[in-house]
RNA sequence: GGAGAGUUGGCAGAGUGGUCGAAUGCGGUGGUCUUGAAAACCAUUGUGCGGCAACGUACCGGGGGUUCGAAUCCCUCACUCUCCGCCA
C-alpha cells in the first residue's frame, strides 16, 4: 500500500498520475488524507490525556511510598475521569486507523511517469518486436491438437483426476516441461540469481505482504481447515522471504529465483481464450525476484527484461515487448513490461512474462527496509518477473516448430530434453 | 491427535506490579591507541506516531481485561519448540 506520508508530500501529483489508470481516485485520496488529519488531532488529545494520567500515577506511587495514603486516595479519584476519556479516544483512534488502512487498500500503486494512459490491453505500448515469424505449412495444427497427436498432454485425464485446467503432461510432453524448468533455472543461476524452493502454500500474512490479500482473495485457492492459500505465483513465497527484514545497504542487490507450480482459480474465464494451454488452474513458472535500492530499481527492471529476452532468443521464439498502459497495470505495480510470444497456429500473441517494479508498495506492507547512509530505515524496492511461465512457451514451441517430421526442439533445450525431435 | 514449555531490542538473553524502553553479552557506528590493522579501552546505538523543536506518546507475539499504575497478574487467539502417537 501507499505510504501516507509520501502521499501527503504531493497529493495532487499522485491523483494526476493515478488517472493514467483510467480511473479517478481523487475521492479515495482525499478521504484518506482527511481521515489521517482526524487521526492526528485525536492523537494530540489522547497523548495529552495519557500524559496527565501518567503523571498522576507517578504522584500516587510516590505518595503511597511516603505514607500519605489519604492524599493518594484523592488523586485516585481524579484518574477515573481521565481513564474514561482516554478509553474513548483510544477507541476513536483505532477506528480511524482501521478506516485509513481500508481506504489505502483501495488505492493502487501510483504509476510511473512513463506509463501510458489507456483503458485496457489494446492500449499497451509496443516497444519492440524481435525474431522471425514461422512460415507454417497448410495443415499446421494448434498446440492442443499437436499435444493430442503426439501424446504430450492429456487434458481429459486431468479433468477426470481434478477438473478442467489441470492437464496431465506425459512422455516427451512431461520431459519437455521439466527441461524448460531446468533451462530457466540454470539461466537465472548463471545471471547471479540464488535458487530457492519455497513453500507452495502460504499463510494470510504472506498474502497480505505481496498484495494478493485482501483485494484478490477470490483468485487464490484456499484451504479452509488450515487457513492457507495455494500460491498463485512464486512471487508470493519468495518475496515474503523479506517480510519484516531490515537489510544492509551494502548488501544490495538481492537476487532470487525459484521454480514453483502456480494455482489460480481464474473465476469468470471462459471460451477460446482458455483453450488448451492458454489459461490453466495449475501451471509451472520460474520466477525472478529482486530487492533493490530505490535509486537503482528502474535500471534493474531493464536488466530483468533483457534477461527474459535472452531466454526467448535462445528458444528461438518471435516475441514483442509491451509497456503496460495504466488501465492494464496491476494493482501493486508502478511499471510493468509484458513479453509476448507469437503462437503461429493460433495466430495470437501470448503473454509469457510480466516484469514489474513495485517500488515501495509491497515493501510498505512487508516492512522490508534497509538502513540508508544517514542510518535511517527506508523502504526498499521490490521487483519480480516471470522467467518464464511454461504453458504458453510450450504452446508456442509446439505450434511454431511443427514440420513434416514432427516437432523440432530448439538447440538450447536439447541438452535438457535429450531428444531433438518429437515424432509420432 | 495427546501432554508440556515458550514468544522480550539486529541477534543471544535477564527481568514477576511503580525507580523498565527495558540489565548483560554479541553485533553496528564514532573515537583513543597504532606506520597500518587486530586487540584493548571510551562513547554511542530500537521502532512508529504527533511536534520546527524541547518534548510527549505508544510498542516486550496479536486482541481484551484487572489496577491509580502491567513486559510482569487474568482471559483469549496465533505461532514456535520439546516429548509421545501416527506417517512419507
Amino acid at each position: 500500500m501507499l505510504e501516507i506520508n509520501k502521499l501527503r508530500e504531493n497529493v495532487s501529483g499522485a491523483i494526476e498520475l493515478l488517472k493514467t489508470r483510467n480511473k479517478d481516485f481523487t475521492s479515495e485520496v482525499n478521504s484518506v488524507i482527511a481521515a489521517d488529519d482526524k487521526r492526528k488531532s485525536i492523537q494530540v488529545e489522547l497523548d495529552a490525556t495519557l500524559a496527565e494520567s501518567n503523571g498522576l500515577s507517578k504522584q500516587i506511587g510516590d505518595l503511597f511510598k511516603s505514607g500519605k495514603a489519604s492524599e493518594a486516595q484523592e488523586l485516585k479519584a481524579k484518574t477515573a475521569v481521565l481513564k474514561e476519556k482516554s478509553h474513548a479516544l483510544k477507541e476513536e483512534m483505532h477506528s480511524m486507523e482501521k478506516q485509513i488502512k481500508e481506504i489505502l487498500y483501495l488505492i493502487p500503486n501510483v504509476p510511473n511517469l512513463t506509463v501510458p494512459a489507456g483503458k485496457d490491453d489494446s492500449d499497451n505500448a509496443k516497444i519492440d518486436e524481435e525474431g522471425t515469424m514461422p512460415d507454417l505449412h497448410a495443415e499446421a495444427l494448434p498446440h492442443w491438437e499437436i499435444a493430442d497427436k503426439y501424446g504430450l498432454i492429456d487434458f481429459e485425464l486431468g479433468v477426470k483426476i481434478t477438473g478442467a485446467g489441470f492437464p496431465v503432461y506425459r512422455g516427451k510432453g512431461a520431459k519437455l516441461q521439466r527441461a524448460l524448468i531446468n533451462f530457466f533455472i540454470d539461466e537465472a543461476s548463471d545471471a547471479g540469481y540464488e535458487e530457492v524452493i519455497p513453500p507452495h502454500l502460504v499463510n494470510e500474512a504472506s498474502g497480505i505482504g505481496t498484495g494478493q490479500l485482501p483485494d484478490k482473495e477470490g483468485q487464490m485457492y484456499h484451504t479452509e481447515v488450515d487457513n492457507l492459500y495455494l500460491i498463485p505465483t512464486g512471487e508470493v513465497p519468495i518475496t515474503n522471504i523479506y517480510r519484516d527484514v531490515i537489510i544492509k545497504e551494502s548488501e544490495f542487490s538481492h537476487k532470487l529465483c525459484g521454480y514453483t507450480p502456480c494455482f489460480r482459480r481464474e473465476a469468470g474465464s471462459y471460451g477460446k481464450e482458455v483453450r488448451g494451454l492458454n489459461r490453466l488452474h495449475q501451471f509451472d513458472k520460474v520466477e525472478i525476484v529482486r530487492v533493490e535500492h530505490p535509486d537503482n530499481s528502474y535500471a534493474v527492471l531493464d536488466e530483468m527484461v533483457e534477461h527474459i529476452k535472452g531466454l526467448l532468443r535462445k528458444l528461438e521464439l518471435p516475441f514483442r515487448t509491451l509497456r503496460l498502459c495504466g488501465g492494464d497495470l496491476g494493482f501493486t505495480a508502478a511499471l510493468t513490461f509484458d513479453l509476448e510470444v507469437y503462437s503461429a497456429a493460433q495466430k495470437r500473441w501470448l503473454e509469457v512474462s510480466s516484469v514489474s517494479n513495485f517500488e515501495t508498495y509491497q515493501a510498505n506492507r512487508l516492512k522490508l527496509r534497509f538502513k540508508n547512509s544517514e542510518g535511517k530505515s527506508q523502504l526498499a524496492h521490490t521487483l519480480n518477473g516471470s522467467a518464464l511461465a511454461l504453458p504458453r512457451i510450450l504452446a508456442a514451441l509446439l505450434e511454431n516448430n511443427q514440420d513434416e517430421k514432427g516437432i523440432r526442439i530448439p538447440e538450447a533445450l536439447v541438452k535438457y530434453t535429450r531428444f531433438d525431435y518429437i515424432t509420432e
Side-chain angles (χ1 to χ4, degrees):
Chain A
M1 67 187 151
L2 294 177
E3 301 161 81
I4 188 130
N5 286 328
K6 284 275 165 60
L7 188 61
R8 299 190 85 107
E9 281 170 21
N10 189 359
V11 176
S12 56
I15 288 174
E16 278 316 301
L17 280 172
L18 281 165
K19 281 183 182 161
T20 58
R21 284 184 179 271
N22 199 38
K23 211 180 153 203
D24 189 9
F25 290 93
T26 308
S27 76
E28 282 86 350
V29 172
N30 285 337
S31 64
V32 83
I33 299 286
D36 195 45
D37 285 339
K38 190 165 173 212
R39 194 216 89 232
K40 282 190 195 184
S41 71
I42 293 169
Q43 188 176 347
V44 169
E45 204 182 344
L46 175 62
D47 280 2
T49 309
L50 289 172
E52 196 179 346
S53 148
N54 285 345
L56 283 175
S57 289
K58 205 158 256 177
Q59 285 182 45
I60 291 167
D62 291 342
L63 286 171
F64 270 122
K65 253 179 260 169
S66 52
K68 297 174 183 161
S70 62
E71 287 178 46
Q73 291 300 342
E74 272 174 47
L75 285 183
K76 267 199 196 182
K78 284 170 80 175
T79 61
V81 186
L82 290 174
K83 196 176 174 182
E84 209 172 297
K85 189 175 172 192
S86 67
H87 252 92
L89 287 168
K90 263 187 204 167
E91 239 166 74
E92 269 190 82
M93 264 296 263
H94 283 150
S95 99
M96 285 322 289
E97 278 168 355
K98 194 173 156 221
Q99 199 179 320
I100 289 164
K101 210 169 200 178
E102 277 167 4
I103 305 169
L104 280 177
Y105 280 150
L106 298 174
I107 305 174
N109 204 351
V110 176
N112 182 272
L113 276 168
T114 62
V115 170
K119 202 162 77 249
D120 53 38
D121 55 5
S122 62
D123 294 321
N124 292 338
K126 190 170 98 177
I127 294 178
D128 55 34
E129 192 175 319
E130 207 181 305
T132 38
M133 292 294 183
D135 189 15
L136 295 185
H137 53 93
E139 303 85 51
L141 301 171
H143 69 267
W144 51 89
E145 286 180 30
I146 298 170
D148 187 48
K149 179 177 170 189
Y150 296 97
L152 304 176
I153 305 170
D154 194 329
F155 291 97
E156 292 307 311
L157 196 50
V159 169
K160 178 177 99 174
I161 299 169
T162 307
F166 292 90
V168 176
Y169 303 87
R170 55 195 316 170
K172 284 189 172 168
K175 288 188 190 304
L176 183 51
Q177 187 83 353
R178 194 158 48 80
L180 283 165
I181 293 166
N182 286 332
F183 170 66
F184 293 147
I185 287 283
D186 282 355
E187 290 289 316
S189 299
D190 289 348
Y193 291 85
E194 183 195 351
E195 180 180 358
V196 295
I197 301 179
H200 299 163
L201 279 79
V202 294
N203 57 28
E204 213 176 330
S206 292
I208 291 168
T210 32
Q212 280 70 27
L213 295 174
D215 350 295
K216 282 170 247 159
E217 170 134 39
Q219 283 299 317
M220 286 192 287
Y221 288 97
H222 181 222
T223 68
E224 233 164 88
V225 178
D226 297 294
N227 193 29
L228 296 172
Y229 295 86
L230 276 72
I231 55 170
T233 156
E235 162 194 348
V236 180
I238 296 174
T239 309
N240 269 281
I241 289 173
Y242 295 97
R243 175 152 47 86
D244 290 321
V245 166
I246 299 174
I247 57 185
K248 291 205 179 101
E249 191 172 21
S250 58
E251 284 172 0
F252 284 121
S253 317
H254 286 253
K255 308 169 73 171
L256 295 181
C257 71
Y259 152 71
T260 69
C262 303
F263 303 91
R264 297 187 182 178
R265 295 188 59 231
E266 302 292 357
S269 298
Y270 60 90
K272 74 169 164 45
E273 299 294 309
V274 307
R275 190 95 193 256
L277 294 170
N278 291 343
R279 192 177 296 277
L280 300 169
H281 288 304
Q282 177 182 332
F283 64 97
D284 294 307
K285 183 154 65 72
V286 171
E287 187 80 0
I288 52 177
V289 170
R290 306 280 294 248
V291 177
E292 296 291 339
H293 192 286
D295 294 345
N296 207 23
S297 64
Y298 279 96
V300 164
L301 183 64
D302 290 339
E303 182 195 320
M304 293 167 81
V305 170
E306 270 315 305
H307 174 77
I308 292 155
K309 285 182 180 176
L311 300 175
L312 295 170
R313 284 181 197 122
K314 288 188 183 180
L315 292 175
E316 302 164 36
L317 292 169
F319 65 88
R320 64 180 189 181
T321 314
L322 305 174
R323 185 190 295 269
L324 292 199
C325 74
D328 205 26
L329 191 64
F331 198 79
T332 54
L335 177 62
T336 297
F337 292 105
D338 269 9
L339 285 104
E340 299 183 333
V341 297
Y342 192 72
S343 207
Q346 293 185 78
K347 298 188 169 62
R348 291 178 61 189
W349 290 96
L350 300 176
E351 179 194 332
V352 291
S353 180
S354 204
V355 197
S356 305
N357 189 349
F358 304 96
E359 297 190 359
T360 59
Y361 197 90
Q362 286 183 331
N364 191 28
R365 288 201 197 178
L366 292 162
K367 295 200 182 67
L368 162 54
R369 292 160 295 175
F370 66 98
K371 289 260 187 231
N372 65 21
S373 46
E374 291 158 13
K376 289 286 246 175
S377 290
Q378 190 183 336
L379 293 174
H381 282 193
T382 60
L383 304 94
N384 68 51
S386 355
L388 288 157
L390 286 257
R392 294 175 188 160
I393 291 287
L394 192 58
L397 282 177
L398 296 179
E399 293 186 14
N400 295 10
N401 294 3
Q402 56 185 313
D403 58 28
E404 310 72 36
K405 283 192 284 180
I407 311 294
R408 187 183 62 81
I409 303 297
E411 176 92 40
L413 271 185
V414 173
K415 70 171 173 179
Y416 292 96
T417 54
R418 302 197 288 177
F419 52 82
D420 58 5
Y421 249 93
I422 295 171
T423 50
E424 276 184 270

